[in-house]
Amino acid sequence: MSRFSGKVVIVTGSSNGIGRSAAILFAKDGAKITISGRNAERLEETKKLILSQGICPENINSVLGDITKSEDQKILIDSTLQKFGGKIDILVNNAGAAMPDTTGVSGVESDISNFERNLAVNLNSVIGLVQKAKPYLEKSKGDIVNVSSIASGPAAHVGAMYYSMAKAALDQFTRNVAIELIASGVRVNCVRPGVVTTGFMQAMGATEQASDEFYKLFGSRKDCVPAGRLGTPEDISHLILFLADRKSSFYIIGQVITIDGGSSLMNVLASSFET
Ligand code: NDP
């Protein structure tokens, strides 16, 4: 039998990148899956990719919406319950973005409204969805996996200060809510990726060319990525599925697991002494 056979899974931000990969893997492994995002064309592409794996359309619920809006979060939950027999087993809070200041200012000079935009998508939407899914996850003894970033610290991340602060708050939300919810049988964990080749840079406003050049340069530097290549969406989604599968990871509670090819262990001072 497939690992997620009979399980109902919601993956936010599955119209691209890591979320798309996770949605495909869950569906291939037997899950009934709700996919979501704001971009209709890209969401349809995810659906097509799932269907191309031989999955039947009845196992896919596709929901367009902005995850920062409470009414869209509600639609995501309600449509999942309606389509898949009134239950939710797994919630993957993957949607996220680093939102640069629209006026081009960076660092502490950036207006507080920019912090609020970063919080809205990377933290508040997760809190809202966990609140709305909680009764159903308690009923199913379900699992939550959040998606953070190595930007969350402890190294500083001045270039995307407010994004990194929002992800740091998400890490601590994971720990707190994990301890609260395990009392009713719901597990919460979090993955913390390094640089992964996705639409992330373009969502920040980079051109396709600039995004490709960044990934090529960063991925080629062993002082940035000791593993010798950048992360792929599949590298990350395999860990998401492991943490969502309680048969494999039952005893892991409230952990924020770094998956970055070694990037966050690199130290400029130490590498400058290498011969
Ligand atoms: P992508 O830009 O490729 O995908 C992001 C997904 O999030 C898209 O499906 C996008 O959908 C969705 N999304 C963003 N904002 C909203 C919103 N307001 N409402 C609904 N959906 C939204 O990036 P990644 O796959 O890389 O990002 C996935 C997660 O991984 C994020 O949380 C990100 O912070 C994290 N991460 C990524 C890293 C990387 O290097 N790529 C590194 C570390 C962490 P749509 O555009 O259709 O709205």
Side-chain angles (χ1 to χ4, degrees):
M1 198 162 82
S2 304
R3 200 160 38 143
F4 296 101
S5 187
K7 299 284 184 191
V8 174
V9 181
I10 298 175
V11 181
T12 69
S14 32
S15 55
N16 213 349
I18 295 168
R20 171 182 281 166
S21 165
I24 294 169
L25 289 186
F26 272 119
K28 273 173 75 176
D29 222 336
K32 295 182 165 77
I33 181 100
T34 290
I35 55 173
S36 71
R38 293 163 302 178
N39 184 301
E41 216 174 294
R42 284 201 295 258
L43 194 60
E44 188 56 29
E45 179 60 20
T46 300
K47 188 174 176 179
K48 276 192 198 144
L49 287 166
I50 296 174
L51 290 171
S52 73
Q53 303 291 325
I55 311 295
C56 66
E58 291 72 50
N59 283 2
I60 308 167
N61 179 37
S62 183
V63 184
L64 264 181
D66 183 339
I67 204 71
T68 65
K69 294 184 178 156
S70 182
E71 60 271 27
D72 288 6
Q73 295 167 11
K74 191 168 178 322
I75 291 169
L76 200 60
I77 301 288
D78 290 349
S79 69
T80 303
L81 293 168
Q82 206 174 0
K83 173 117 183 170
F84 298 135
K87 70 164 189 154
I88 300 170
D89 297 290
I90 294 163
L91 171 63
V92 180
N93 290 306
N94 162 77
M99 313 192 60
D101 191 309
T102 46
T103 64
V105 181
S106 66
V108 75
E109 296 286 327
S110 175
D111 194 81
I112 198 79
S113 59
N114 189 36
F115 181 42
E116 281 153 11
R117 287 167 63 230
N118 275 282
L119 274 182
V121 66
N122 294 294
L123 179 71
N124 300 357
S125 69
V126 178
I127 299 173
L129 265 183
V130 169
Q131 287 173 340
K132 291 177 182 64
K134 179 173 170 276
Y136 309 101
L137 290 167
E138 285 177 338
K139 210 166 159 194
S140 64
K141 305 286 176 227
D143 302 274
I144 298 174
V145 182
N146 297 327
V147 179
S148 177
S149 164
I150 58 165
S152 72
H157 209 80
V158 185
M161 183 189 281
Y162 293 153
Y163 167 72
S164 69
M165 289 160 64
K167 290 295 195 186
L170 177 63
D171 293 355
Q172 190 63 345
F173 174 70
T174 299
R175 296 180 192 104
N176 288 327
V177 83
I179 294 308
E180 182 185 338
L181 295 192
I182 196 61
S184 44
V186 179
R187 280 186 327 133
V188 187
N189 285 293
C190 185
V191 303
R192 210 172 78 102
V195 178
V196 185
T197 44
T198 64
F200 187 81
M201 297 292 295
Q202 287 183 63
M204 280 178 78
T207 62
E208 192 177 348
Q209 190 187 350
S211 167
D212 288 350
E213 281 168 7
F214 167 80
Y215 286 137
K216 210 169 155 195
L217 177 68
F218 195 86
S220 68
R221 289 182 49 176
K222 283 224 165 145
D223 58 331
C224 294
V225 195
R229 66 159 175 82
L230 288 184
T232 65
E234 288 67 37
D235 288 327
I236 313 304
S237 50
H238 281 298
L239 178 58
I240 292 173
L241 266 75
F242 170 75
L243 290 173
D245 173 19
R246 59 176 51 207
K247 280 199 196 106
S248 308
S249 59
F250 174 76
Y251 213 53
I252 303 178
I253 309 280
Q255 295 305 304
V256 179
I257 299 181
T258 300
I259 172 162
D260 67 351
S263 294
S264 56
L265 295 182
M266 293 311 284
N267 175 329
V268 180
L269 266 182
S271 54
S272 66
F273 284 105
E274 277 170 15
T275 51

